[in-house]
Structure formats: structure tokens, C-alpha cells
Amino acid sequence: MQSSLDVRNPATNEVIGTIPNAAPDDVDNFVNAAADILPTWEKTAASKRAVMFVNAASLMRARVDELAVLLTTEQGKPLREARDEILGSAHVFEYYASVCGSIPGDARNLPGYGYLNVVRKPLGVCAAIIPWNMPVIIFAWKAGAALACGNTVLAKPSKTASLTILKIAEAMHEGGFPKEALQIVTGSGEQTGSALITHPDVRHISFTGSVVSGKAVSLQAAPHLKKLTLELGGNDSFIVTKTADIDAAVKAAVRNRFYNCGQVCTSAKRILVDASLADEFVHKAEVMLSGYVVGNGLEKVNMGPLNNANQLALIEAFVEGVLDRDEAQLVYGGKRLDMPGNFYAPTLLKNVSPLAVSEEIFGPVMSVIPFGSADEALDIANSTMYGLGSSVWTSEISTARTFAEGLRCGVVWVNKHLTLPPEMPFGGVGSSGFGRENGRDFVYEYTEPKSILFG
Ligand code: NAD
């Protein structure tokens, strides 16, 4: 029987709504509906799908104020960031409108064999498993790509960030997407997520979340031989070399690290600074942070609360641990804030031992690690099991090239960090997962080739 789950405002801890906790029987009904409409949906003209994406994007833009307030209230991020996420997601749908008529194929004469035609077919019913940190844009990446390729989608948001996605789905249905082609299945990972992953008629799983959950999902999917796209954690390095514009680098590092209260997969989690610049960098970062206002995201603040109490406890334990073990020195913050909600002070640590941050720190902690040479910086940057993104800050093209070549990760930015246009393939290597979202690579994730050889 279906139960329900409370959704709380992380800034106040008040219950702001409930969501169904879908049981395996409910999941079965969702999957059956998605499978039944597949033959019709698959044959829908790409131009019609494009109009649906454009309509949904326009409705999201028209409703951005209301949607952003809801996103801030359930997720915690400042209203400005919530607006950016809604508008960015509308842009993702516009991107998929522009590409859904261009799913590539191949047609060639093979002398001696015949005429080869390769068409890319949709996979069928796809599951999109979504985390709580950037829920709307990650939903847009997955649903956009799957629907553009002619699949049907069952999206399971995190239990702490489902409400805005439910509203976006309403806009998509109003925009023309059939209800059965896009369904939101709310509930816990253990119950609802597992039921989706193990359902025999779900043929592809695109999962974004932690490495631990990603491994659990892989194990559950393996006996059913399902196709997987895994977007897991990151431990990005942000490398400030001797030739960097230090003011630009400090500004970008602080904005980036504390964006969404530090809960971004490609947040600049390890700030590697040339030793000759480290003191200046730390001082300038401290000055910036001392002006940071922390509070309810609906007010005029730089940073909101962490999304949930578990995340707050993890951050608190991490900072206490590294300071107790002398693995870092505290420059700023370093404590839970005395207000209702999951608030932690923006925190700056210096002289951090690289080993102390080999695991992903998913919260508002900037860890500055000094380095002596480019080789040492590359060794430190590549020393974790993750490989999502990294950036290098320099005014020399040769330095940019050295790092771009040497960094082991899915995305390298030069004098930038975190920007993820939908035109760019995004994903990681190593424990950050496999497969790519967006760019042109979405086609390989969400379709399979069928080769037809004419005699
Ligand atoms: P999580 O792994 O706890 O949960 C993610 C989603 O998976 C949720 O919807 C959850 O209900 C579901 N889930 C969990 N266990 C499951 C299981 N066994 N079977 C099926 N579903 C299951 O992650 P989170 O705490 O919501 O998000 C934070 C993590 O996500 C961080 O590690 C972060 O780096 C990562 N992340 C990665 C990217 C990326 O693109 N690489 C983007 C955002 C977040």
C-alpha cells in the first residue's frame, strides 16, 4: 500500500508538504502505462516533440517566480539561484527542441555486401533517478534527452526535493507531452527507486547521486542487463597557478564553492594554489566571506541552509575531524549556526592535507591546498578516485594545455568553473561514473543502433 513522506523546509524544519512513497505495485502501474504508450510516442514526429519542449520551456519561464519560491522552500538555495536553475532548465528543453529532429543515423553503400542503413532506435521505458542538490536541472537533462530520442520516462526525484519537479511535469503535460510518456514517481530510494531499477520493463537507468548509491544501483541492475548512465560524485580541483589573475580566481572560487551551499557535484572542492600566492589567496577569500550573509533563501542572502540534517551532521563531523587531527587550519567559520534549520557557516580551511580531502565534501567548506610545481598540482588533483571536473587558472596557454592534458576527468575548464551549457557533453571518469549527458552524446545513452543491410 502507498504511504506518504513529509517534505520539510531546510531553513525552518517545518513540514511544507507530503509526497506519495510509491510501493512496488504502484511502480508496476507507472511502468505499464509508460510501456503501453511507447509505440505511439516513438512514432510522434520530431517536429511535434520540439513544439512540446518549446511550450514547456515557455510555461516554465512564465511561472519562474512561483517555481523558484517552491524550489527554495524545499531545497534551501537562495531565490536567485533557484531562478537560475528554473531558467537554465527551460533552456535545456529548448536545446532538446533544437536537436530532437537530428538524431543521427548512417546510410552507405558497402560494395560486395549491399546497402547499409543504420538507424538509432529508442531504448523504451527509461528511469531517471535524481538527487536533491540541483533537482530541476538534472531532471531536465535526463527527461529532455530521453524524450527527444522517443523513449518514455519515469523520473524519481529525491524525497527531499520532489515538489518543484512535480510542478515542472505539469507544465510539460500542458505543453503537450502525453501524461504516460513522462511520469514522476515519488518515494524513497530504498523502496521506490529499487522497484524502478529492478522492474523488467525498465530498459535504461540514468542515475545521479552518490558513489555508494551508484554502486548499489549497478548491483541491482546487473542481473537484468540494463543499460546504465551513472553521474556520481565529484571532488573537483580548482588550480590557481602563478600566472593566474588572482582577484578573478578568488572571486570565482568563493562564488563557486559556496553556490548552493557547496552542494554541487562539480563544485570547486579542492582549491590548489601555487605556494607563492597561497597567503594572498586565503586573505582575499576570507575578506569576501566575512561579507557573506547566510539565512533563509527567500531573503536577501548569499547562502542558504544545507538541504538536510544528515548533510549538516556530515559537514560538522568533517571539519571537527580535520581540525582535531591537525590536517588543516581554520581561517573562517567552522561551526553550525545557531538558528532553526540546517545552517552551517561558510568555512575556509588553509594548509589542508590532500589526504584529508580525498573524499567528496558536499557542503560549504573551502579547502585550500598549497603546491610547489605543476607536477605536484597534477599529482594532487589526480590523487582521488573521482574524475568529474577540474579547472586551471592561468594567463599562459602552455600552462592551460599542460593541465588540460594531464587532468584525469570528464570536464576541464580554463579560467572558468562549473559552467555546464547543454551543448557540452557532461560526465565523469573513475568513480565519478560513466556515460555522458547533453552535448551530442545523449544520443548514445538513449538510443541503440539498428543495422539494416539491403542485398
Ligand atoms: P543519493 O545517492 O543519496 O540519492 C540520489 C537518488 O538516488 C535519490 O533519488 C535517492 O532516492 C535514490 N537512491 C538512493 N539509493 C537508491 C537505491 N539503492 N536504489 C534506487 N534509488 C536510490 O544522493 P544525494 O545525496 O541525493 O545527492 C548527492 C550526491 O549526488 C553527491 O555525491 C553528488 O556529488 C552527487 N551528484 C552528482 C552529480 C553528477 O552529475 N555527477 C550531480 C549532482 C549530484
Side-chain angles (χ1 to χ4, degrees):
M1 220 198 65
Q2 196 176 75
S3 54
S4 64
L5 298 166
D6 287 342
V7 182
R8 288 178 186 275
N9 179 341
T12 61
N13 275 329
E14 286 161 0
V15 174
I16 51 164
T18 57
I19 49 164
N21 186 19
D25 281 356
D26 306 310
V27 170
D28 198 40
N29 292 336
F30 282 114
V31 176
N32 289 341
D36 286 349
I37 201 171
L38 255 179
T40 321
W41 175 243
E42 197 180 328
K43 291 191 193 81
T44 303
S47 54
K48 285 195 176 156
R49 282 190 210 139
V51 170
M52 294 172 198
F53 278 122
V54 169
N55 290 345
S58 318
L59 289 168
M60 287 162 67
R61 289 185 189 284
R63 295 173 192 170
V64 61
D65 291 339
E66 171 204 335
L67 290 167
V69 167
L70 184 58
L71 181 55
T72 291
T73 311
E74 69 171 336
Q75 200 279 341
K77 62 186 67 192
L79 204 49
R80 183 189 63 256
E81 294 179 16
R83 280 181 67 88
D84 285 352
E85 188 171 344
I86 304 292
L87 296 175
S89 305
H91 178 57
V92 169
F93 287 151
E94 286 154 357
Y95 170 70
Y96 281 107
S98 75
V99 293
C100 69
S102 326
I103 306 297
D106 194 8
R108 266 182 295 154
N109 196 19
L110 296 182
Y113 293 100
Y115 187 78
L116 174 68
N117 194 356
V118 183
V119 288
R120 298 207 70 102
K121 303 289 288 177
L123 303 172
V125 180
C126 295
I129 314 271
I130 298 158
W132 45 258
N133 63 326
M134 303 289 293
V136 179
I137 201 138
I138 293 172
F139 163 73
W141 292 345
K142 294 183 191 308
L147 291 165
C149 293
N151 302 284
T152 55
V153 182
L154 301 173
K156 197 212 81 64
S158 164
K159 61 186 177 192
T160 61
S162 297
L163 301 177
T164 317
I165 291 178
L166 286 163
K167 287 280 176 203
I168 304 270
E170 278 175 27
M172 292 174 76
H173 295 145
E174 282 175 54
F177 286 101
K179 287 217 159 84
E180 301 82 357
L182 168 76
Q183 301 175 82
I184 311 300
V185 189
T186 57
S188 70
E190 308 78 49
Q191 174 170 292
T192 313
S194 294
L196 258 180
I197 285 160
T198 53
H199 196 293
D201 293 338
V202 171
R203 294 316 307 155
H204 175 257
I205 296 150
S206 179
F207 173 87
T208 298
S210 64
V211 176
V212 172
S213 307
K215 286 181 180 169
V217 166
S218 303
L219 287 171
Q220 286 176 298
H224 304 271
L225 300 176
K226 297 186 184 206
K227 192 169 177 193
L228 280 179
T229 304
L230 294 181
E231 304 288 353
L232 306 179
N235 202 354
D236 290 20
S237 50
F238 181 111
I239 302 167
V240 184
T241 69
K242 235 185 249 174
T243 62
D245 172 341
I246 186 147
D247 290 326
V250 171
K251 218 163 151 183
V254 171
R255 288 212 177 130
N256 177 279
R257 185 55 184 126
F258 297 97
Y259 188 78
N260 199 22
C261 202
Q263 306 161 116
V264 183
C265 50
T266 55
S267 179
K269 298 194 179 102
R270 296 174 299 151
I271 314 282
L272 276 55
V273 185
D274 187 283
S276 65
L277 299 177
D279 285 345
E280 184 184 352
F281 185 96
V282 168
H283 173 68
K284 288 183 165 164
E286 184 186 4
V287 170
M288 252 185 103
L289 281 182
S290 59
Y292 252 53
V293 180
V294 181
N296 189 323
L298 294 178
E299 287 152 23
K300 212 165 178 282
V301 296
N302 297 98
M303 194 178 89
L306 287 135
N307 173 259
N308 55 72
N310 184 40
Q311 209 54 43
L312 174 61
L314 287 172
I315 292 302
E316 199 172 26
F318 164 74
V319 174
E320 275 174 23
V322 288
L323 294 178
D324 280 356
R325 293 189 297 274
D326 282 334
E327 290 170 340
Q329 293 164 284
L330 180 66
V331 179
Y332 190 82
K335 58 178 191 299
R336 192 187 271 253
L337 295 177
D338 188 17
M339 33 210 282
N342 308 319
F343 289 101
Y344 196 83
T347 293
L348 176 59
L349 300 175
K350 70 173 181 180
N351 293 326
V352 178
S353 146
L355 272 181
V357 284
S358 55
E359 285 298 324
E360 178 185 38
I361 309 304
F362 212 59
V365 181
M366 176 183 266
S367 300
V368 178
I369 305 169
F371 66 82
S373 66
D375 284 347
E376 191 194 354
L378 273 173
D379 281 350
I380 297 171
N382 289 337
S383 66
T384 77
M385 64 177 181
Y386 300 94
L388 195 54
S390 276
S391 62
V392 55
W393 294 75
T394 178
S395 52
E396 281 177 355
I397 191 73
S398 56
T399 306
R401 286 191 62 174
T402 303
F403 280 94
E405 275 296 310
L407 286 164
R408 206 172 51 237
C409 52
V411 181
V412 177
W413 291 277
V414 179
N415 296 328
K416 240 181 188 329
H417 199 107
L418 188 61
T419 314
L420 297 172
E423 292 81 359
M424 181 173 97
F426 174 60
V429 302
S431 292
S432 290
F434 47 78
R436 292 291 178 271
E437 306 208 86
N438 297 332
R440 295 196 184 111
D441 292 48
F442 74 93
V443 168
Y444 305 113
E445 303 298 317
Y446 288 95
T447 63
E448 52 201 356
K450 181 187 241 183
S451 299
I452 306 160
L453 189 59
F454 292 85

